[in-house]
Amino acid sequence: MSKVDVVLGLCFGDEGKGKIVDFLSEGYDVVSRFNGGDNAGHTLYRDGEKIVLHLVPSGILNDCINIIGNGVVINPISLKREIQMLENIGIDVKSKLVISDKSHIIKPIHIHKDIENENRKGDLRIGSTLKGIGPCYSDKYSRVGTRMGEIPNYPFSDEDQEFKEACQFISKYRIENTEILINKLLDKGNKVLAEGAQATGLDIDFGTYPYVTSSPTTIGGVIQGLGVPPRRIGKIFGIMKSYSTRVGNGPFDSEIEGPMEDIICKNGNEYGSTTGRKRRCGWLDLDQIKYSIMVNGISEIFMTKVDVLNGVSEVKILNNGSLKSLSPWVDIHDHKMSEYISYIRSQLQIKITAISYGPNKKDLKFL
Ligand code: GDP
Ligand code: IMO
Ligand code: MG
């Protein structure tokens, strides 16, 4: 029986999921997003050209069907912009993209509400991307939302010109029942990869509530957000960086204070793919990773951005509540880096499948 393999972020997002999905999707027939919206920013490189995707799955550069599942919330204006960007670089989006008729629409009012909520919270604000994600999911669960399948009958008002035009633009693409499509494709033996947005630390239940996003970023979100039964779930790939980052507010146990934070931020170019905000940087938090492995049933790990720690004067890891120093390394051939990986593997008791040492697809070393 064909399975759905899954890619999930293990920390607070921006672990490099986009790059890994782009790489893995060469071996899949279908790539599908199941949660979140354009608060996500997944970066891919094609022939040295940087492409940031917010809604379209990261398999779009490859020869596969890309599905935006029912669990996703869609800002039509963002999706239109993204489709146009991809078409401008020669991608045949019309034949490759399918949008669930059950995915919910982010309207201008949701963005206003997001801003209002954050302003009201003052110092306690979440640090939302202000894309209207929370208010859109609130409407979904209050049963007053609007779904993509309703676009043809939606009563647009004249003041929503840009929104209306974007909806009309998107309605020319495939909008259909994607849970039936995915299950049929699986029945025919196609391989499906589910691409998570955000990460366990931002999960609506298992993240650092209330400093979280408004969707399930964990394994249960795949089942609900695509309409595939649990027995169809195959491998569950966890993505983590060799250090941690967090953009937005909320607890961050391994956060670095002092000059080393700036060094890692600069080496890793840690600025948000969606908002451009500086990401807070910290050491790898194994306690958080162990928790993420547990709630998701992670089967193997891809560790990204090991190159960012090349040549730094100190390397630490948070484990069992305390910081441990490990020997720094010069480059990825340095045996000190192998020691770092061995230590992580021994503490997590899990397979580290590959390390990523650069933003390009080919910058991956299988262990
Ligand atoms: P995502 O949200 O998990 O897809 O990650 P983002 O795309 O938001 O952020 C990851 C950033 O790191 C992007 O700018 C990637 O191009 C970059 N990146 C991914 N893997 C590596 C790596 O191994 N080394 C370096 N230096 N950069 C990487
Ligand atoms: P990817 O998929 C990193 C964070 C925001 C904020 C909190 C709530 O690229 O890893 P929201 O806009 O959902 O109301 O924001 O979640 N956040 C992310 N941080 N990567 C992301 O996605 C994120 N999506 C949301 O910064 O703290
Ligand atoms: Mg990102």
Side-chain angles (χ1 to χ4, degrees):
M1 183 176 65
S2 223
K3 299 265 187 181
V4 180
D5 293 340
V6 182
V7 166
L8 297 173
L10 299 182
C11 310
F12 295 111
D14 305 326
E15 296 90 350
K17 297 177 292 292
K19 168 190 157 152
I20 301 298
V21 170
D22 183 26
F23 170 80
L24 290 174
S25 64
E26 288 173 8
Y28 288 84
D29 306 295
V30 180
V31 179
S32 187
R33 274 275 306 270
F34 61 88
N35 77 310
D38 61 336
N39 49 350
H42 295 181
T43 314
L44 326 177
Y45 277 86
R46 190 179 76 149
D47 304 328
E49 183 190 6
K50 181 177 174 175
I51 298 168
V52 181
L53 299 173
H54 302 286
L55 282 161
V56 172
S58 301
I60 197 75
L61 303 185
N62 288 314
D63 187 18
C64 38
I65 298 173
N66 287 261
I67 295 176
I68 301 181
N70 57 280
V72 176
V73 289
I74 298 179
N75 178 337
I77 297 169
S78 287
L79 183 56
K80 176 184 172 188
R81 202 179 297 134
E82 200 163 310
I83 289 174
Q84 287 178 328
M85 177 273 290
L86 290 165
E87 287 178 343
N88 282 341
I89 59 167
I91 312 275
D92 181 7
V93 180
K94 267 216 167 101
S95 71
K96 285 192 188 179
L97 182 69
V98 189
I99 303 160
S100 167
D101 57 359
K102 297 183 182 63
S103 57
H104 277 248
I105 300 178
I106 298 181
K107 300 174 195 162
I109 181 78
H110 294 135
I111 294 168
H112 294 309
K113 279 190 189 163
D114 224 356
I115 296 168
E116 236 173 65
N117 288 345
E118 286 284 78
N119 286 344
R120 196 173 332 107
K121 284 187 170 150
D123 286 348
L124 295 176
R125 70 187 179 280
I126 291 161
S128 167
T129 60
L130 303 177
K131 299 287 180 187
I133 307 294
C136 182
Y137 278 115
S138 297
D139 276 2
K140 170 176 174 174
Y141 287 98
S142 303
R143 297 159 297 173
V144 294
T146 306
R147 310 204 287 187
M148 285 304 283
E150 293 171 56
I151 282 185
N153 304 317
Y154 188 73
F156 293 103
S157 65
D158 287 344
E159 64 268 24
D160 293 341
Q161 200 52 31
E162 192 187 8
F163 175 70
K164 180 180 169 178
E165 278 171 21
C167 288
Q168 285 166 344
F169 175 90
I170 291 165
S171 64
K172 298 192 185 78
Y173 290 75
R174 278 177 73 181
I175 299 175
E176 57 188 65
N177 180 319
T178 51
E179 64 276 21
I180 291 183
L181 176 67
I182 290 186
N183 281 287
K184 275 191 177 158
L185 286 167
L186 285 165
D187 286 343
K188 285 187 193 151
N190 289 282
K191 288 185 72 187
V192 178
L193 185 65
E195 173 182 11
Q198 292 87 44
T200 302
L202 294 169
D203 181 87
I204 184 69
D205 287 293
F206 307 116
T208 52
Y209 192 91
Y211 299 97
V212 293
T213 190
S214 298
S215 71
T217 61
T218 42
I219 191 68
V222 180
I223 292 153
Q224 187 66 22
L226 293 181
V228 290
R231 69 187 171 87
R232 292 272 207 194
I233 301 292
K235 290 181 195 159
I236 308 170
F237 303 111
I239 317 296
M240 69 182 195
K241 285 193 239 211
S242 54
Y243 54 97
S244 297
T245 59
R246 175 162 202 165
V247 58
N249 299 329
F252 187 7
D253 292 345
S254 62
E255 188 161 13
I256 303 171
E257 279 163 26
M260 185 55 80
E261 209 243 345
D262 292 335
I263 292 169
I264 293 181
C265 179
K266 188 166 160 278
N267 286 1
N269 191 25
E270 293 297 353
Y271 296 91
S273 321
T274 297
T275 57
R277 290 179 294 173
K278 182 189 170 303
R279 297 172 181 149
R280 298 153 67 193
C281 296
W283 300 115
L284 182 60
D285 180 349
L286 290 187
D287 297 331
Q288 184 194 19
I289 304 289
K290 286 175 206 163
Y291 178 78
S292 302
I293 291 173
M294 179 189 77
V295 295
N296 293 303
I298 297 295
S299 40
E300 51 192 281
I301 283 182
F302 283 75
M303 186 159 100
T304 61
K305 301 190 96 160
V306 290
D307 54 304
V308 172
L309 298 183
N310 285 353
V312 299
S313 58
E314 58 173 0
V315 175
K316 293 183 183 171
I317 283 190
L318 185 66
N319 193 18
N320 301 323
S322 48
L323 272 179
K324 177 183 165 67
S325 287
L326 285 109
S327 304
W329 58 85
V330 180
D331 59 33
I332 64 158
H333 308 293
D334 187 336
H335 72 98
K336 299 285 186 205
M337 202 193 83
S338 313
E339 284 174 21
Y340 184 72
I341 295 167
S342 299
Y343 176 75
I344 295 167
R345 194 189 291 122
S346 71
Q347 295 302 306
L348 298 178
Q349 291 290 308
I350 197 162
K351 181 179 173 196
I352 298 177
T353 302
I355 54 169
S356 163
Y357 56 86
N360 290 303
K361 238 196 307 200
K362 62 170 178 35
D363 304 330
L364 262 184
K365 184 178 165 193
F366 282 78
L367 305 177

